Amino acid sequence: MKTIRDLDITGKRVLIRVDFNVPMNEQGEITDDLRIRTVLPTIQYALEQEAKIILASHRGRPKGRRVEKYSLAPVAGYLSGILEKTVQMAGDCVGPEAEKAVAAMNNGDIVLLENLRFHTEEQANDPAFAKQLAALTDVYINDAFAVSHRAHASVTGIAENCPEKAAGFLLDKEMSYFYRSV
């Protein structure tokens, strides 16, 4: 399986599908950050390569509606603290807000797209939605093992529309463990 290390990502827009479906308390504070910390090696590697890092995730089950309690904005703030680097929050995952956030990126910048599941097209693996996601990036990296079995736009649809794609370090580790166990 090809990994992020096998691709030249320097200066490229790299969309990393992560799983930031983290639990939060009623004050919007993250109560368990394991899912964030497990993808840090992939993010750090992309930073070292001076890529333009676009993070995409879902959180909760908002059923295709914008539900503020499922916003990823608290995750952007939390990740900024861990990385000691600003993580910009895009107001949406597709459309003008996402496009504007990505267009403004410099090498080494990070943008977290808003919750993919605010759009019904994500779980429906809508081809037009997948193409919108793919248009944001040059390289697609899947580092979300927990959703890799799902035929969602941010997992399978985008991969069909990105010529350069690979696994992140977490997905590679999980798949290696799986295949050793079988």
Side-chain angles (χ1 to χ4, degrees):
M1 176 169 45
K2 191 182 287 190
T3 71
I4 190 172
R5 194 173 274 127
D6 298 317
L7 302 176
D8 176 12
I9 62 171
T10 303
K12 293 183 181 176
R13 299 170 301 153
V14 178
L15 190 145
I16 305 173
R17 177 52 163 105
V18 293
D19 181 7
F20 287 164
N21 189 21
V22 295
M24 292 186 198
N25 62 24
E26 291 189 19
Q27 292 75 41
E29 300 165 329
I30 295 168
T31 58
D32 183 348
D33 70 353
L34 180 64
R35 290 182 178 178
I36 296 170
R37 291 195 178 273
T38 57
V39 297
L40 289 178
T42 299
I43 295 169
Q44 292 283 11
Y45 178 80
L47 282 171
E48 291 165 9
Q49 300 304 306
E50 289 291 312
K52 298 171 184 169
I53 303 163
I54 306 157
L55 302 173
S57 182
H58 74 281
R59 186 164 173 280
R61 297 174 190 249
K63 299 180 181 173
R65 294 178 292 120
R66 180 174 286 274
V67 179
E68 286 310 308
K69 76 176 186 174
Y70 295 128
S71 174
L72 288 167
V75 176
Y78 192 85
L79 191 55
S80 292
I82 291 173
L83 294 172
E84 298 179 354
K85 177 176 186 55
T86 300
V87 174
Q88 296 294 324
M89 183 69 205
D92 204 345
C93 59
V94 292
E97 291 183 70
E99 293 163 7
K100 183 179 178 183
V102 170
M105 295 179 80
N106 294 310
N107 294 356
D109 285 351
I110 305 173
V111 168
L112 175 59
L113 302 177
E114 186 54 278
N115 193 335
L116 293 159
R117 290 190 184 169
F118 283 177
H119 296 267
T120 57
E121 297 89 347
E122 159 64 0
Q123 289 180 280
N125 194 16
D126 179 79
F129 186 77
K131 285 179 182 173
Q132 283 185 288
L133 288 171
L136 297 173
T137 191
D138 302 309
V139 177
Y140 171 69
I141 303 296
N142 185 346
D143 214 22
F145 180 75
V147 298
S148 291
H149 66 289
R150 300 189 188 280
H152 290 176
S154 68
V155 179
T156 58
I158 191 173
E160 293 168 2
N161 290 283
C162 284
E164 287 196 89
K165 52 193 163 265
F169 298 134
L170 175 62
L171 181 63
D172 183 52
K173 180 180 172 183
E174 294 280 0
M175 293 303 294
S176 296
Y177 175 78
F178 174 78
Y179 283 112
R180 278 195 313 271
S181 301
V182 185

